[in-house]
Amino acid sequence: VEWRRSNILCVALVLCSAVSCFAQEPSVLLRDVSVVTVDGEHARIIDKTDVLSQNGIFAAIGQSGTIAASDAVLEVEATGMFLIAGLADAHVHFDFSEVAADAQSQFVREPNDILCRLYVAHGVTFVRSMWGTPSIVELRDQLNAGTRIGPSMITTGPLLTQASAIPTRMLGSIDDIRPILEEHTRFGYDALKIHSSPEAAGCTLLVDQAAQLGIPVYGHVPFTLGLQEALDLPGLQTVEHVVTFCGASVRDGSPAQGARWPQMMELYNDQDEEKQRFWAARARESGKWICPTLTTSLTEGMLLDEFDDYLDEFDDDLVTASTIEYWRQSLGGEKTMYVRSNIDLRGLYEAPRAIVAALIDADARIIAGTDTPARPGIAGRSLHLELAEYVELGMTPAQALSAATVDVARALDQEQVMGRIAVGLRADAVLLRGNPLEDIANLSEIEGVLLRGEWLDRDALDALLEEARSLVQAANDSG
Ligand SMILES: [Zn+2]
């Protein structure tokens, strides 16, 4: 792509100074591009289109040549290229320990500035943070205001559970719930996140109370709450990870049913396909959005004979040594435990994929999320892999793209803001060198990213990667 700065820039700045629009993003005109529109299985490519962004939103979209060049400060010739809406990763985590004094976190702690750069460099313009603290809210506000480089963001509050080694909030009775709802408002979280609470009653109560206040709830299905009960909870908007579906699909009479960990992990090898199909159909009927988080599931790494070799793949300077060590120890430790207990690891890899295939087959609602960096993966890159998995398991590339764009917007009540290339929506888009509907792998062929109306060409994206490498190096040197 050849782009040129128009000399209108000087004029624009002079005109703007009176109304102080310096903080706003310059206008960008993408010329003669093929716009890819997806919605579930429906897909359309509109060739020879001009797309204009102004003040961070899509201002005009029209046939090539119909938008006046003088409207744009920056023009990008995009002939032969494909424009998709910015990608969204619906399940990620950030590090809050840099600001949160009380964080005695045993959770992975990858620096936020590295994660933010990697997301953008891979075309991810929006993320849902699934674990929030006041410092994550601060990060969210900076990102959404464009004062810090990175994807736009919404964040849940802290993990709500009963017992855990990591800092979370207890969730038992109504007495626990009131302060949680107060905190939600006081700190400005976008949603609540429930975790694997042993108190089903407390969980149901919280979801109901939150629903009455109009607060979205996202989360895992608590172990004590049956999958059907969870799917029936009106206030629970998204269900994270497919593990619960594996648990519900264990064949009758399996010794894994009454077993304790780690023996209970045999449940992955004792799946009943009929039940998988049954639960997939129930998920479809419930209308709940399921976020499978396949690629960074622990299963993949643990399957490999040489776990260390697997982690070495990430040793390419985009992930800090301490995070790689965290993966090595936490996942390697679990693997050792399973191997000692004679547990066949194959099921841990295959069962979640079988569930996702069943969900796709049943036409259940799926949004793409990766759980980065809790499990091995490179921020942003992991979403490309997640979508490739969906295609392998039965989605069309259009459906996979939809699961990472317009469907995420729908699931998270962001439809009026993002998810499509349409006038009035936030100008988040990815310019690809190849058609992603022909091959989902073309998501990796990024020519440029439009981030809240700011154009980042290939050089700018490479510069972000270079900065991420330097930050990784600095963290490694100091750590
Ligand atoms: Zn997570």
Side-chain angles (χ1 to χ4, degrees):
V1 164
E2 191 187 294
W3 58 272
R4 49 183 186 268
R5 250 171 223 289
S6 160
N7 55 10
I8 291 163
L9 178 65
C10 311
V11 180
L13 289 180
V14 170
L15 292 177
C16 277
S17 59
V19 288
S20 70
C21 64
F22 285 110
Q24 291 169 343
E25 297 302 337
S27 306
V28 178
L29 182 59
L30 294 165
R31 279 251 187 246
D32 197 29
V33 71
S34 295
V35 173
V36 181
T37 305
V38 292
D39 190 352
E41 63 196 16
H42 304 288
R44 207 153 61 113
I45 295 184
I46 305 164
D47 292 326
K48 298 187 178 308
T49 303
D50 287 357
V51 177
L52 176 71
S53 87
Q54 273 175 339
N55 303 326
I57 62 165
F58 291 115
I61 298 164
Q63 216 187 335
S64 228
T66 56
I67 297 173
S70 59
D71 287 340
V73 166
L74 190 66
E75 278 188 60
V76 180
E77 292 299 334
T79 307
M81 301 206 193
F82 298 83
L83 192 69
I84 59 168
L87 297 171
D89 190 331
H91 190 129
V92 307
H93 294 282
F94 285 93
D95 177 22
F96 48 81
S97 57
E98 59 175 282
V99 194
D102 62 342
Q104 350 112 20
S105 177
Q106 294 173 26
F107 200 64
V108 63
R109 295 165 61 173
E110 189 70 354
N112 294 331
D113 283 331
I114 296 173
L115 296 170
C116 284
R117 282 167 172 75
L118 292 177
Y119 283 123
V120 174
H122 290 92
V124 176
T125 57
F126 174 86
V127 293
R128 175 176 59 156
S129 147
M130 290 303 285
W131 190 343
T133 63
S135 73
I136 296 284
V137 169
E138 198 181 312
L139 171 69
R140 176 201 67 189
D141 291 345
Q142 290 168 350
L143 291 173
N144 292 349
T147 56
R148 186 163 172 172
I149 182 80
S152 297
M153 183 210 272
I154 63 170
T155 186
T156 68
L159 222 58
L160 302 170
T161 187
Q162 184 77 16
S164 172
I166 43 191
T168 53
R169 288 297 301 270
M170 304 290 258
L171 174 54
S173 67
I174 187 75
D175 293 330
D176 298 324
I177 288 165
R178 245 180 248 111
I180 288 169
L181 295 172
E182 280 165 21
E183 191 178 83
H184 172 89
T185 312
R186 185 152 37 100
F187 292 129
Y189 300 124
D190 298 294
L192 299 173
K193 180 185 183 183
I194 52 168
H195 202 246
S196 313
S197 166
E199 287 287 343
C203 174
T204 309
L205 204 58
L206 175 87
V207 174
D208 286 346
Q209 296 272 312
Q212 282 177 32
L213 295 168
I215 303 169
V217 182
Y218 310 136
H220 300 201
V221 173
F223 295 138
T224 49
L225 197 65
L227 181 52
Q228 188 62 58
E229 285 84 349
L231 293 175
D232 284 342
L233 276 179
L236 185 64
Q237 294 195 0
T238 69
V239 175
E240 307 305 306
H241 317 303
V242 284
V243 177
T244 325
F245 285 82
C246 298
S249 302
V250 181
R251 118 186 119 70
D252 290 334
S254 163
Q257 263 175 334
R260 295 167 68 173
W261 193 82
Q263 273 73 24
M264 68 173 278
M265 299 307 275
E266 278 294 356
L267 72 87
Y268 290 98
N269 295 305
D270 243 349
Q271 292 283 297
D272 181 332
E273 281 179 38
E274 198 68 45
K275 286 191 181 184
Q276 290 177 340
R277 278 195 292 274
F278 172 84
W279 286 112
R282 293 291 86 79
R284 169 74 185 103
E285 284 161 20
S286 75
K288 293 265 183 290
W289 294 95
I290 317 292
C291 186
T293 67
L294 267 186
T295 33
T296 51
S297 72
L298 70 166
T299 58
E300 205 168 11
M302 295 201 312
L303 248 191
L304 300 176
D305 290 337
E306 298 297 336
F307 190 58
D308 283 351
D309 286 353
Y310 177 71
L311 287 185
D312 283 345
E313 282 180 37
F314 296 97
D315 225 345
D316 67 350
D317 304 338
L318 292 174
V319 181
T320 62
S322 79
T323 288
I324 292 175
E325 191 51 31
Y326 169 89
W327 292 334
R328 199 185 298 277
Q329 287 193 3
S330 60
L331 301 189
E334 283 180 47
K335 178 178 178 176
T336 306
M337 176 81 77
Y338 296 146
V339 169
R340 264 198 213 123
S341 306
N342 286 320
I343 289 164
D344 182 356
L345 295 169
R346 195 177 316 275
L348 279 81
Y349 175 83
E350 286 174 356
R353 281 161 173 79
I355 297 283
V356 171
L359 288 168
I360 293 168
D361 199 44
D363 203 19
R365 304 172 100 181
I366 292 175
I367 49 173
T370 63
D371 218 356
T372 305
R375 299 295 182 186
I378 292 169
R381 174 76 188 132
S382 53
L383 185 63
H384 301 174
L385 298 175
E386 181 84 15
L387 297 182
E389 288 285 343
Y390 295 168
V391 171
E392 196 162 299
L393 294 171
M395 276 193 192
T396 62
Q399 286 175 307
L401 261 189
S402 187
T405 54
V406 66
D407 287 335
V408 176
R410 244 177 224 139
L412 307 181
D413 301 318
Q414 302 287 309
E415 244 191 314
Q416 308 306 316
V417 183
M418 55 169 254
R420 289 171 299 131
I421 297 168
V423 170
L425 297 196
R426 192 166 59 216
D428 291 332
V430 187
L431 187 62
L432 301 171
R433 293 180 190 133
N435 185 349
L437 300 183
E438 271 169 19
D439 185 356
I440 198 73
N442 280 328
L443 286 181
S444 302
E445 301 299 312
I446 299 177
E447 179 66 25
V449 171
L450 197 57
L451 178 71
R452 293 181 292 267
E454 183 186 353
W455 175 244
L456 299 161
D457 65 6
R458 190 61 249 174
D459 287 345
L461 299 178
D462 287 337
L464 283 180
L465 290 172
E466 210 39 61
E467 284 171 28
R469 277 191 192 93
S470 304
L471 289 164
V472 166
Q473 191 60 54
N476 290 350
D477 290 346
S478 74

